[in-house]
């Protein structure tokens, strides 16, 4: 059996694809169950975070394993296999181990060095253990990954190379300034009460905000988080909990909003944000993303129903529901394949475009044709989120700051175009972190990962031959026992002391004969390419394969019994 990982992350896929492929808790459970039920896999674990979805499995066939795991990911994510495949990566055996260890150390995170991934790996292992989909290999792998990650953080300054996603996001909201100076005295609204939202609430409280309001679908969890914040020794912040239906009202009073929920749809629409800004400033929030050079109130924008009538192949209303975009233009068609866009362009060119749209049919057809060419070249449409400045008209300072850490997104991407609002989301964080300087500590962590991968591989290869060695010694013990019994029959006059001396002498001879070969074969098996020594040992000594398999099963059973809950 061999380790295989198939997945996609912020490094391989656009955020629009990651959003659509995000797995709910129930989907993760079903994916694990279906994976171990599939023929190539005997163990499985899912690592699903806001910017990665990875399926780990112990498989007996590489190509069949890749095909099966890819199909299962597509099936449970709801993204078609043909669309998902270009964004998938595959790691096998030592490369898969290297990948997970790098992830555990924060080397593969959006913000290099962040430590939250360790908790997510621990949760992933716990879920697989609870469902009994993790056997000896994945238990050893994930537990070692946790140790490697902790070692990287304790022995190096990798924490200085990056921050948590929350801290990095708040720094982006503060435009690179001092977060404490920016946050002091502001009112914060935190939507969600999970680990990321709790971290955001605690970070804001320590940064000096005057108030933290927590909203969550389960009100008791919001109350618990608010109570923890209010009673904390290291902060002096007012904290209270509100139900989710109170969010629109709280939005008009908040200065900073952090949202990270497990919702599949939008939590804050562009319209609701625009209304909150208008309530705070007394002037309408405007969309600066049009080509006319004049802002248009979001509430007055035409609905995105283009394509919902006639024979247009692209239903933008459906696109809105699946991607979270609610305003037309590049954002509305992000992720749509080139062929569909070309068909839509032809449909528009025939004059069937909804006349309420601001563009002329000719201009819209030209735009969509250009977008189709772009997606054919780069694989997706780059969403133009940031408003383009209007010549001679300064953009007003933000009255509302929003941080969206959810995947799929909680806050409408169209908010990027609203004047008076600053939105930082997963996609803009990815862009900002791509230019972050790499600390010298990263190289040290990479060396740790390489050393740990080599040690893990050696230990696994050595462990692989152990059942064969145990079976060999068991066979030798049976031979000794048989010969002693035959000697007792031939020499019945021997007393017990003499029989004991003979037994010890025979055992010593067998032990000395087996000692050097078994020690050496373990050393050889631990080296790269040493997997064949177990087969050679079984062949040379004519060991019963079922006896060796029984030792494997006994070891795995003991490992499960001793495994921490």
């Amino acid at each position: 059996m061999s380790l295989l990982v198939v997945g996609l992350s912020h490094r391989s896929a656009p955020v629009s694809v990651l959003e659509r492929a995000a797995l709910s808790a129930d989907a993760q459970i079903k994916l694990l169950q279906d994976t171990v039920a599939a023929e190539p896999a005997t163990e499985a674990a899912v690592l699903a975070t806001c910017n990665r979805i990875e399926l780990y499995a112990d498989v007996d066939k590489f190509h069949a394993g890749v095909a099966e795991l890819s199909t299962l990911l597509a099936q449970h994510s709801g993204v078609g296999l043909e669309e998902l495949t270009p964004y998938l990566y595959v790691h096998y055996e030592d490369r898969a181990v290297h990948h997970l260890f790098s992830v555990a150390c924060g080397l593969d995170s959006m913000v290099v060095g962040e430590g939250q991934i360790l908790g997510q790996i621990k949760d992933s292992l716990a879920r697989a253990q609870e469902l009994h989909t993790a056997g000896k290999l994945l238990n050893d792998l994930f537990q070692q990954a946790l140790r490697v990650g902790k070692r990287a953080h304790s022995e190096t300054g990798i924490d200085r190379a990056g921050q948590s996603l929350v801290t990095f996001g708040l720094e982006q909201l503060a435009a690179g300034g001092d977060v404490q100076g920016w946050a002091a005295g502001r009112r914060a609204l935190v939507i969600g009460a999970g680990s990321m939202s709790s971290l955001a609430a605690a970070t804001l409280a320590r940064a000096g905000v005057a108030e933290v309001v927590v909203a969550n679908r389960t009100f008791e969890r919001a109350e618990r988080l608010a109570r923890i914040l209010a009673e904390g020794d290291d902060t002096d912040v007012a904290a209270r909990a509100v139900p989710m239906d109170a969010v629109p009202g709280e939005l008009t009073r908040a200065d900073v909003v952090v949202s990270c929920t497990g919702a599949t749809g939008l939590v804050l629409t562009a319209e609701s944000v625009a209304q909150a800004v208008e309530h705070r400033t007394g002037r309408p929030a405007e969309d600066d993303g049009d080509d006319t050079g004049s802002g248009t109130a979001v509430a007055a924008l035409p609905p995105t129903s283009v394509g919902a009538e006639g024979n247009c192949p692209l239903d933008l209303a459906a696109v809105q529901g699946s991607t979270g975009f609610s305003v037309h233009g590049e954002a509305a068609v992000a992720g749509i394949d080139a062929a569909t866009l070309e068909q839509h362009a032809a449909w528009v060119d025939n004059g069937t475009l909804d006349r309420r749209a601001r563009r002329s049919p000719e201009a819209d057809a030209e735009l969509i044709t250009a977008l189709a060419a772009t997606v054919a070249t780069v694989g997706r449409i780059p969403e133009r989120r940031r408003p383009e400045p209007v010549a001679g008209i300064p953009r007003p300072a933000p009255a509302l700051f929003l941080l969206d850490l959810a995947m799929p997104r909680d806050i409408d991407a169209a908010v990027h175009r609203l004047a008076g609002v600053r939105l930082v989301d997963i996609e803009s964080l990815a862009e900002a972190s791509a230019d972050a300087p790499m600390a010298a500590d990263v190289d040290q962590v990479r060396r740790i990962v390489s050393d740990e991968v080599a040690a893990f591989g050696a230990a696994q290869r050595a462990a692989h031959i152990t059942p064969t060695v145990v079976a060999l010694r068991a066979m030798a013990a049976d031979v000794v026992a048989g010969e002693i019994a035959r000697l007792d029959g031939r020499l019945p006059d021997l007393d017990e002391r003499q029989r004991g001396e003979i037994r010890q002498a025979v055992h010593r001879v067998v032990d000395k004969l087996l000692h050097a070969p078994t020690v050496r074969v373990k050393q050889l098996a631990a080296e790269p390419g040493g997997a064949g020594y177990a087969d050679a040992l079984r062949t040379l000594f004519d060991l019963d394969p079922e006896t060796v398999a029984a030792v494997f099963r006994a070891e795995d059973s003991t490992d499960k019994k001793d495994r921490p809950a």
Side-chain angles (χ1 to χ4, degrees):
M1 304 299 285
S2 300
L3 178 66
L4 175 67
V5 55
V6 178
L8 67 161
S9 74
H10 65 99
R11 295 186 183 276
S12 69
V15 171
S16 58
V17 174
L18 282 172
E19 281 186 313
R20 294 166 56 206
L23 297 171
S24 66
D26 290 341
Q28 292 179 44
I29 292 173
K30 192 66 169 65
L31 174 58
L32 285 173
Q33 293 170 335
D34 288 354
T35 301
V36 294
E39 183 178 344
T42 58
E43 302 180 33
V46 173
L47 179 58
T49 72
C50 60
N51 53 29
R52 77 177 62 252
I53 303 163
E54 296 176 344
L55 178 57
Y56 291 78
D58 187 8
V59 299
D60 58 0
K61 298 174 184 176
F62 172 73
H63 294 291
V66 171
E68 186 66 32
L69 266 59
S70 301
T71 300
L72 288 168
L73 272 176
Q75 175 185 334
H76 290 280
S77 69
V79 179
L81 181 60
E82 289 186 2
E83 183 181 354
L84 192 64
T85 298
Y87 305 112
L88 294 176
Y89 48 77
V90 174
H91 298 298
Y92 189 55
E93 294 187 330
D94 283 354
R95 290 301 307 169
V97 177
H98 189 282
H99 175 73
L100 181 60
F101 287 5
S102 298
V103 169
C105 293
L107 292 179
D108 198 59
S109 294
M110 187 177 294
V111 180
V112 174
E114 61 92 11
Q116 190 177 14
I117 186 66
L118 285 173
Q120 294 163 333
I121 291 175
K122 185 177 180 180
D123 292 342
S124 175
L125 174 60
R127 185 184 305 108
Q129 289 175 339
E130 182 180 351
L131 295 172
H132 305 291
T133 63
K136 180 172 176 56
L137 175 60
L138 291 186
N139 270 284
D140 290 348
L141 174 70
F142 274 69
Q143 288 172 359
Q144 186 62 24
L146 292 171
R147 287 190 285 269
V148 173
K150 292 175 183 177
R151 179 189 169 191
H153 284 279
S154 64
E155 296 184 12
T156 76
I158 189 67
D159 294 321
R160 295 192 298 268
Q163 315 96 324
S164 72
L165 208 58
V166 170
T167 304
F168 191 60
L170 292 176
E171 286 188 355
Q172 295 301 305
L173 282 183
D178 177 60
V179 172
Q180 287 193 329
W182 165 81
R186 295 185 187 271
R187 291 166 294 183
L189 169 63
V190 176
I191 305 175
S195 58
M196 188 78 81
S197 300
S198 300
L199 178 60
T203 303
L204 286 166
R206 285 193 295 269
V209 295
E211 180 187 40
V212 177
V213 178
V214 183
N216 193 60
R217 282 184 169 80
T218 304
F219 183 66
E220 290 75 13
R221 294 189 65 183
E223 280 188 314
R224 183 166 61 250
L225 177 54
R227 185 168 59 252
I228 292 171
L229 293 171
E231 296 173 355
D233 295 332
D234 57 343
T235 63
D236 183 20
V237 64
R240 57 188 174 90
V242 298
M244 283 295 288
D245 58 13
V247 165
E250 295 296 337
L251 195 61
T252 64
R253 292 185 286 272
D255 302 302
V256 184
V257 179
V258 179
S259 187
C260 187
T261 73
T264 55
L266 293 176
V267 175
L268 296 179
T269 64
E271 289 75 16
S272 64
V273 173
Q275 290 169 7
V277 173
E278 182 175 358
H279 184 276
R280 291 173 60 88
T281 64
R283 61 178 183 272
E286 295 181 333
D287 170 35
D288 289 348
D290 65 342
D291 294 335
T292 64
S294 60
T296 304
V298 169
L301 288 175
T304 55
S305 59
V306 177
E309 53 189 71
N311 296 314
C312 176
L314 177 61
D315 184 355
L316 291 188
V319 175
Q320 172 184 341
S322 64
T323 66
F325 297 122
S326 67
V327 177
H328 54 291
E330 295 93 331
V333 292
I336 304 303
D337 63 276
T340 303
L341 286 171
E342 288 170 352
Q343 294 175 25
H344 179 56
W347 177 78
V348 170
D349 200 29
N350 289 331
T352 53
L353 177 69
D354 189 333
R355 297 298 176 181
R356 293 172 296 175
R358 291 176 290 170
R359 295 181 184 274
S360 67
E362 294 78 12
D364 202 74
E366 182 178 350
L367 168 66
I368 296 175
T369 302
L371 291 174
T374 301
V375 78
T377 303
V378 303
R380 69 184 184 100
I381 296 173
E383 179 201 337
R384 188 184 67 191
R385 302 182 317 277
R386 294 181 178 81
E388 298 176 359
V390 180
I393 303 178
R395 187 168 167 81
L400 183 60
F401 298 84
L402 300 105
L403 177 59
D404 184 0
L405 298 173
M407 183 65 70
R409 73 182 76 218
D410 280 347
I411 302 176
D412 194 335
V415 170
H416 278 290
R417 299 183 180 185
L418 294 180
V421 181
R422 179 176 296 157
L423 168 63
V424 172
D425 56 18
I426 291 294
E427 192 160 16
S428 52
L429 283 173
E431 293 173 0
S433 64
D435 299 327
M438 299 293 284
D441 299 284
V442 171
D443 289 334
Q444 186 178 351
V445 172
R446 285 174 176 157
R447 288 192 293 272
I448 288 176
V449 168
S450 296
D451 292 345
E452 291 284 359
V453 170
F456 183 82
Q460 289 295 306
R461 288 187 291 269
H464 182 71
I465 204 170
T466 297
T468 303
V469 172
V470 171
L472 173 61
R473 288 191 172 277
M475 184 191 73
D478 289 342
V479 171
V480 169
E483 290 301 320
I484 294 296
R486 189 164 63 172
L487 183 65
D488 287 343
R490 289 183 176 182
L491 301 173
D493 296 332
L494 292 175
D495 58 33
E496 191 58 37
R497 184 186 64 80
Q498 292 170 326
R499 287 192 178 92
E501 288 290 342
I502 293 173
R503 278 196 296 270
Q504 288 183 11
V506 175
H507 277 296
R508 281 196 297 270
V509 169
V510 171
D511 287 343
K512 288 181 178 180
L513 286 174
L514 290 181
H515 176 73
T518 53
V519 169
R520 184 59 180 147
V521 79
K522 286 183 179 180
Q523 294 172 342
L524 293 170
E527 297 176 359
Y533 285 100
D535 294 333
L537 206 61
R538 286 193 294 270
T539 302
L540 287 172
F541 288 92
D542 194 24
L543 297 176
D544 181 8
E546 180 55 35
T547 302
V548 178
V551 177
F552 269 112
R553 289 193 295 270
E555 286 193 348
D556 189 48
S557 174
T558 302
D559 178 73
K560 290 179 180 178
K561 182 179 68 175
D562 296 337
R563 192 176 304 150

